[in-house]
Amino acid sequence: MKKPGKPPFSRAKDGDRRPPARNVPASPRNAGKPLAGSDAAFRRPAPDLAVIYGGHAVREALRANRRKCLDLFATAPALERLQAELADRDVKVHVVAPETLDARLGAEAVHQGLLLEARPLPALDITDIEVKSGLVLALDQITDPHNVGAILRTAAAFAVDGVIVTERHAPDFSGVLAKTASGGLEHAPLIEVVNLARALDQLGDAGFLRVGLDSEGSASLEDTVLSRPTVLVLGAEGKGLRRLTREKCDVLARLDMPGAIKSLNVSNACAVALTLARQALNQQA
């Protein structure tokens, strides 16, 4: 594991961007005024681009500066609210009508007048995890973008050191997920692995306590003795943790609910688990 303080993220190369669209003026570095643009500039993105929409998601993508931001499609009022974030960013700006964004994203999408096309986040590996908070999340085939987005938002709020997902059973990290994460996608280090069981082996070898959240756990999470660093492993709703994932955990713990409802949505369960784990680790400090 890398020592605290070492920058974990590799930057995208400056040349890693698409050629500018024809007949569309590029924005200056200091975007003081909305640029003239047309709906014709609003085209389907290439497959290797992430589509991010919504006020918080777009603003944090620009602020965090972890990914290469290429084209911003915005209504004039929404663009006015982003002048500070655009001041030092080389992003091509297109002023479009709200209906153009509706046509692209669908009438149900709450885009708030903003859509950003950008490169995917830099790829991270297990070895890129920097132990700071002492907490990592591992998601065992949680595929619903709303749940994963909410988990990433919570992870960013708790400053977790990493969120591990599997490559084949995870949602696309843009669109609905990025909107639900409300900017958390840009701040929670995301690590995609081919094999979660192997990743848990690596974490165990690195000194992580592996705690699987399971309704059939032998002890409650509140009564479980945690050590720093800890990885909390969450399973998909309904399915829970897979057998091999359970076997790789050092402890299986449950969340005890005192009320009439005994189960929580996985994203809510994640928030409760992080709260309890953070309290337990802080008491040891």
Side-chain angles (χ1 to χ4, degrees):
M1 291 292 167
K2 292 188 175 180
K3 296 180 179 180
K6 187 171 182 180
F9 304 121
S10 58
R11 299 293 184 189
K13 295 180 180 179
D14 290 340
D16 184 21
R17 66 167 298 159
R18 295 178 296 175
R22 294 180 180 179
N23 302 321
V24 180
S27 64
R29 282 190 172 275
N30 296 314
K33 298 181 179 180
L35 295 180
S38 68
D39 292 358
F42 196 66
R43 58 208 177 283
R44 292 287 178 183
D48 62 338
L49 293 182
V51 175
I52 302 167
Y53 63 86
H56 289 300
V58 170
R59 180 173 286 106
E60 291 306 317
L62 293 169
R63 283 178 177 173
N65 198 25
R66 286 183 54 208
R67 64 167 89 229
K68 187 73 171 179
C69 297
L70 304 177
D71 289 88
L72 174 67
F73 298 86
T75 62
L79 186 60
E80 287 294 331
R81 296 192 292 269
L82 279 185
Q83 293 306 303
E85 287 77 13
L86 288 168
D88 297 316
R89 301 302 306 275
D90 184 18
V91 181
K92 187 173 296 184
V93 176
H94 311 271
V95 179
V96 298
E99 295 76 17
T100 303
L101 299 177
D102 291 340
R104 169 71 176 278
L105 297 170
E108 300 301 317
V110 185
H111 53 69
Q112 299 169 304
L114 294 170
L115 183 151
L116 177 68
E117 291 181 0
R119 296 295 183 199
L121 289 165
L124 299 178
D125 185 75
I126 289 287
T127 57
D128 291 314
I129 295 175
E130 295 184 47
V131 177
K132 295 178 179 178
S133 72
L135 285 171
V136 166
L137 293 175
L139 310 186
D140 189 11
Q141 297 192 349
I142 301 176
T143 58
D144 182 82
H146 294 91
N147 279 333
V148 177
I151 288 171
L152 287 170
R153 183 177 184 178
T154 302
F158 277 84
V160 301
D161 298 325
V163 179
I164 300 169
V165 299
T166 53
E167 290 182 357
R168 291 187 59 189
H169 298 279
D172 182 47
F173 290 97
S174 63
V176 172
L177 184 151
K179 177 67 170 67
T180 307
S182 195
L185 179 61
E186 309 302 320
H187 298 286
L190 188 66
I191 300 112
E192 291 187 88
V193 299
V194 175
N195 187 297
L196 182 58
R198 190 177 305 128
L200 291 174
D201 279 339
Q202 287 180 264
L203 290 172
D205 292 340
F208 276 78
L209 176 68
R210 299 161 297 184
V211 179
L213 295 183
D214 193 303
S215 60
E216 304 298 323
S218 58
S220 69
L221 184 58
E222 288 179 281
D223 296 330
T224 300
V225 178
L226 302 182
S227 59
R228 188 186 303 268
T230 288
V231 54
L232 297 175
V233 190
L234 290 79
E237 287 191 67
K239 297 180 181 179
L241 299 175
R242 289 175 294 164
R243 178 188 59 80
L244 187 55
T245 302
R246 290 165 59 95
E247 292 176 358
K248 296 295 182 180
C249 292
D250 302 301
V251 181
L252 292 177
R254 65 181 186 273
L255 293 177
D256 285 339
M257 300 289 108
I261 303 300
K262 299 301 181 182
S263 62
L264 293 173
N265 170 284
V266 66
S267 61
N268 292 331
C270 174
V272 173
L274 282 174
T275 299
L276 294 174
R278 183 75 172 268
Q279 290 175 346
L281 294 181
N282 285 347
Q283 288 174 0
Q284 299 173 11

